[in-house]
Amino acid sequence: MRLMVEKDLMKEVSSLHTFIKKAQKGDDKAFLTLFQKYEADIYRIAFVYVKNKSDALDVVQETAYRSFKKITQVKKPEYFKTWLLRIAINHAMDVLRQKSKVTQIASKFEERDTSQMNCQMELKISLQDLMNHLQPLEKSIVLLKIYQDLTFNEISKTLDMPLGTAKTIYYRALDRLREQVKGGSKNG
Amino acid sequence: MDKNDSLKEELKKIEIPEELHERSRIGIAQAKKEMIKSRKKINLRRIGIVAGLMLAFAFVFLVLYKDMFDVVKEAENSPQESPNESEALSVVYFADYPYYEDFQALVENSDLIIRGKVLDSTVQLIDVSGPPLTDEELKDEKLNPHLDGERAEEEFIELVYTVSELEIEEVYKGTYDDEIIQVKQGGGQIGDVLYIEQDVEMLAISQSYILFLKTFDTVPASLLNPYQAAYVYTDGDIESFHPGNNISLDEEKLQTLKEKFQNK
């Protein structure tokens, strides 16, 4: 069974490689085929940031534009999806900045010992909590971790930050959401 | 349902608008349009190396308003000269190669598999037209990928190659009598023109590699393709030379090869 999964995975990577190679040679149809595999995920992630259909569609279009122009930068097909998501997230954050709806987050993050944290905490995160109570970078990490099932290692590469920082922000975001949920319960 | 699943479910409820595909298409089309407009280097995809180089020379002519034949002549007279690369005019072209599904296919298609250390390299114009393809070969997609079984006109094909000389350290498949082998890779600088074959990274001097090669009677050997046919060998460590290579290689596989082909 495991062998079959690995075989399928290798086949997928090989097919991805073929499409990326074609796209890198300027084949826009090959790139469109590739991109459409991920466009729904990109749209949904963008929507969490910009909170409306029109801006989320703009983010998808801009991501398609930027990614095709930079496709030659992709060296490892297995990172294609995280590379796309990175472009989408960066652009979604640009849109927010332009609209002045976002305050700049601190560039230095306090490292803390995540191993001591209670990872088993019960927390039911709603989409509204995620959209309304987290800062952009926290949203990125929670989305990549929970929605895209990326590992912390992959997240740190996607967002270009140290592994420890990604973990710290993730658990801090969960703490913040937990507080919101608790507060909401008390008030409700 | 755990906390992650519930969030995933909620995210999936975000409705996907009908125009999503169209917006992706528009973004890509816009990029394509700008890439074509702004491209200073000539994109010669699909039209093959030969036609590509002809266009490249035409490009040199149009940009520099020089006599094209003077450029070629000068280049032929001084193939070893390498002026500063930053001052050279770059011509980028693409070539299509067969892609191998797995290690077995890579081995089967190799005439020679060796480990060797690069001693030196030079840039040369090499006539690779070779003997005409037989009718059987014309129908072989790997040998004749773009002509759909039709015969190309007889042509003189002289291309720019970087030829590396390697000292053979080990032979895993095939036989090779000399201690030194020449391996050519597309591209290199001749005169003022730097020819770049997309995706080709040149072998480095003093580095050892494991190479999967096609050999020829009259011209230097070639890698099976630029992506899957070279591995860097450093003190027993084996690593793919091209980052996109999906075929892994280790010492055990090499030993198996050696035993298999030495027993033949």
Side-chain angles (χ1 to χ4, degrees):
Chain A
M1 183 68 181
R2 190 181 161 189
L3 202 67
M4 275 180 70
V5 172
E6 282 178 2
K7 216 172 169 183
D8 286 347
L9 193 67
M10 281 173 70
K11 214 171 170 182
E12 195 183 318
V13 171
S14 172
S15 143
L16 194 61
H17 184 276
T18 308
F19 273 101
I20 289 174
K21 279 285 149 210
K22 285 183 177 176
Q24 287 177 333
K25 291 179 181 179
D27 186 340
D28 51 330
K29 283 179 188 156
F31 187 73
L32 184 62
T33 308
L34 258 184
F35 189 85
Q36 285 184 336
K37 277 177 77 176
Y38 307 109
E39 65 185 6
D41 280 350
I42 292 170
Y43 175 80
R44 289 190 171 112
I45 285 179
F47 192 91
V48 172
Y49 285 87
V50 297
K51 302 180 189 174
N52 69 78
K53 175 183 156 185
S54 171
D55 284 341
L57 282 170
D58 283 347
V59 171
V60 173
Q61 183 173 324
E62 184 66 17
T63 303
Y65 168 82
R66 290 185 187 184
S67 54
F68 188 41
K69 281 196 108 173
K70 294 179 179 172
I71 184 66
T72 50
Q73 293 177 0
V74 176
K75 301 294 177 200
K76 292 189 174 178
E78 57 269 36
Y79 294 133
F80 177 69
K81 184 182 176 183
T82 52
W83 178 76
L84 271 186
L85 293 178
R86 179 180 181 165
I87 293 172
I89 288 171
N90 284 343
H91 184 59
M93 287 167 76
D94 285 347
V95 170
L96 288 181
R97 280 189 203 104
Q98 282 163 12
K99 293 195 168 191
S100 304
K101 285 181 183 171
V102 57
T103 51
Q104 293 295 320
I105 42 177
S107 58
K108 281 191 175 178
F109 300 101
E110 194 183 328
E111 297 279 338
R112 55 180 175 161
D113 185 2
T114 50
S115 64
Q116 298 302 313
M117 292 183 180
N118 180 8
C119 301
Q120 301 303 315
M121 62 181 165
E122 287 300 318
L123 178 65
K124 188 181 176 188
I125 307 170
S126 77
L127 188 55
Q128 286 306 316
D129 291 330
L130 190 67
M131 287 166 68
N132 297 331
H133 301 304
L134 294 186
Q135 292 186 3
L137 196 57
E138 293 172 337
K139 271 183 203 171
S140 307
I141 294 173
V142 172
L143 282 171
L144 293 176
K145 180 80 183 130
I146 296 180
Y147 184 49
Q148 295 296 326
D149 295 319
L150 297 194
T151 63
F152 281 118
N153 205 13
E154 288 167 329
I155 291 171
S156 72
K157 282 178 186 162
T158 304
L159 299 177
D160 201 16
M161 64 171 59
L163 182 67
T165 306
K167 283 184 183 175
T168 304
I169 296 173
Y170 176 72
Y171 289 112
R172 186 180 66 195
L174 292 190
D175 279 348
R176 194 196 292 273
L177 288 171
R178 186 175 55 181
E179 288 307 312
Q180 287 297 330
V181 172
K182 272 185 191 170
S185 308
K186 278 176 193 170
N187 297 334
Chain B
M1 186 183 286
D2 72 12
K3 58 183 186 291
N4 292 0
D5 286 339
S6 77
L7 179 65
K8 273 186 193 175
E9 288 306 313
E10 286 210 46
L11 280 163
K12 280 181 187 166
K13 284 180 194 162
I14 296 175
E15 206 176 314
I16 298 299
E18 277 180 18
E19 60 266 47
L20 181 64
H21 285 331
E22 185 57 15
R23 295 295 292 271
S24 303
R25 197 196 61 73
I26 292 170
I28 293 167
Q30 180 64 25
K32 171 94 177 170
K33 201 173 160 188
E34 289 180 18
M35 283 152 80
I36 291 169
K37 257 190 191 174
S38 65
R39 187 169 291 159
K40 289 176 184 169
K41 295 169 183 175
I42 298 176
N43 181 339
L44 303 172
R45 192 172 68 83
R46 289 184 183 278
I47 55 179
I49 298 172
V50 179
L53 280 177
M54 287 167 68
L55 280 176
F57 284 127
F59 175 72
V60 174
F61 175 75
L62 287 170
V63 171
L64 300 180
Y65 295 98
K66 279 184 175 180
D67 184 324
M68 175 174 68
F69 300 104
D70 281 351
V71 172
V72 176
K73 197 177 167 187
E74 188 184 322
E76 284 176 344
N77 289 339
S78 55
Q80 309 300 333
E81 286 176 15
S82 292
N84 187 346
E85 284 193 4
S86 62
E87 290 170 14
L89 178 73
S90 297
V91 174
V92 180
Y93 59 95
F94 297 96
D96 284 337
Y97 291 87
Y99 189 78
Y100 300 97
E101 281 303 321
D102 50 30
F103 181 67
Q104 194 183 344
L106 192 66
V107 172
E108 280 172 5
N109 284 281
S110 302
D111 298 326
L112 189 66
I113 303 172
I114 58 147
R115 189 179 83 220
K117 186 176 182 180
V118 181
L119 302 176
D120 198 6
S121 69
T122 54
V123 179
Q124 302 174 16
L125 283 165
I126 298 175
D127 176 14
V128 291
S129 51
L133 295 180
T134 63
D135 288 342
E136 204 59 35
E137 286 168 338
L138 280 169
K139 290 172 192 162
D140 185 336
E141 277 187 15
K142 286 180 181 170
L143 293 170
N144 192 27
H146 291 306
L147 295 174
D148 297 328
E150 288 179 22
R151 185 177 293 279
E153 287 182 20
E154 296 302 327
E155 55 213 343
F156 172 68
I157 308 176
E158 198 168 55
L159 301 177
V160 178
Y161 285 100
T162 296
V163 178
S164 299
E165 284 198 344
L166 290 94
E167 179 184 20
I168 295 182
E169 297 172 329
E170 194 81 68
V171 176
Y172 302 103
K173 180 188 173 186
T175 50
Y176 201 78
D177 296 330
D178 295 338
E179 289 175 1
I180 304 290
I181 185 169
Q182 288 192 325
V183 175
K184 66 181 184 301
Q185 295 175 278
Q189 184 163 336
I190 285 199
D192 292 337
V193 186
L194 176 63
Y195 296 89
I196 301 168
E197 186 181 317
Q198 190 80 7
D199 289 329
V200 169
E201 194 174 343
M202 297 304 171
L203 302 175
I205 292 174
S206 300
Q207 176 66 54
S208 290
Y209 297 90
I210 293 158
L211 304 176
F212 292 71
L213 301 168
K214 274 274 175 211
T215 55
F216 307 93
D217 290 335
T218 54
V219 294
S222 293
L223 299 175
L224 256 57
N225 67 31
Y227 327 110
Q228 298 171 299
Y231 296 80
V232 178
Y233 182 91
T234 314
D235 300 329
D237 286 338
I238 300 167
E239 209 178 319
S240 289
F241 187 41
H242 193 284
N245 189 358
N246 62 330
I247 299 176
S248 65
L249 181 66
D250 54 36
E251 195 62 50
E252 198 181 329
K253 280 184 179 171
L254 288 171
Q255 285 313 314
T256 310
L257 279 186
K258 207 172 168 187
E259 285 163 22
K260 182 178 173 186
F261 291 106
Q262 277 183 349
N263 290 337
K264 276 193 172 178

